[in-house]
């Protein structure tokens, strides 16, 4: 019931937030694992997601990338069709932004660079990410996955 409510609320959120939070719900990833994801970690044909690293952003210090919390945290997850569709859409949006920004685009392979930097890019510029929404989604995803 809570997950369904959160998915309803996400319909009004920007595409990247909707994709990332839905991915959290379907996979049970830790926030740092989500932030460490790169496009090369997704095998779209096989529908697999490889967890290989973690990342976090520290204001004033930048982005830190590290190994996963434990050896067993390195794993491969099977993605649902819904998650794969959202990831394909998110990739397409990133490529559109790349074309739109031209020389201002900063090359990266991250799925959620805007979340990692604490900002979200939109047509009008930059806005602060709703961090409480992300934190709430992480908590809900973890509880939901534990009940499965």
């Amino acid at each position: 019931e809570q997950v369904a409510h959160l998915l309803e609320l996400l319909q009004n959120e920007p595409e990247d937030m909707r994709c990332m939070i839905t991915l959290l719900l379907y996979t049970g990833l830790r926030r740092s694992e989500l932030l460490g994801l790169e496009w090369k970690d997704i095998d779209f044909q096989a529908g697999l997601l490889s967890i290989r690293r973690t990342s976090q952003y520290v204001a004033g210090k930048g982005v830190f990338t590290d190994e996963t919390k434990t050896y067993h945290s390195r794993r491969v997850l099977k993605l649902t069709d819904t998650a794969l569709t959202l990831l394909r859409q998110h990739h397409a949006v990133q490529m559109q932004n790349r074309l739109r920004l031209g020389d201002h685009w900063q090359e990266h392979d991250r799925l959620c660079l805007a979340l990692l930097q604490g900002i979200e890019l939109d047509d009008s510029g930059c806005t602060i990410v709703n961090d409480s929404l992300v934190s709430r989604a992480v908590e809900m995803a973890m509880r939901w996955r534990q009940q499965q």
Side-chain angles (χ1 to χ4, degrees), residues 113-130:
L113 187 68
L115 289 178
L116 193 57
Q117 293 177 335
I119 60 172
E120 177 184 314
L121 296 176
D122 61 21
D123 291 336
S124 64
C126 297
T127 56
I128 301 298
V129 167
N130 185 342

Side-chain angles (χ1 to χ4, degrees), residues 92-142:
V93 168
Q94 272 195 2
M95 293 302 101
Q96 289 169 356
N97 286 338
R98 180 183 190 177
L99 291 173
R100 183 173 54 85
L101 292 171
D103 292 341
H104 297 288
W105 176 259
Q106 293 181 358
E107 194 59 47
H108 64 84
D109 191 39
R110 295 296 171 110
L111 269 69
C112 49
L113 187 68
L115 289 178
L116 193 57
Q117 293 177 335
I119 60 172
E120 177 184 314
L121 296 176
D122 61 21
D123 291 336
S124 64
C126 297
T127 56
I128 301 298
V129 167
N130 185 342
D131 197 52
S132 64
L133 179 64
V134 176
S135 296
R136 196 171 91 218
V138 170
E139 283 179 29
M140 291 177 75
M142 294 300 255

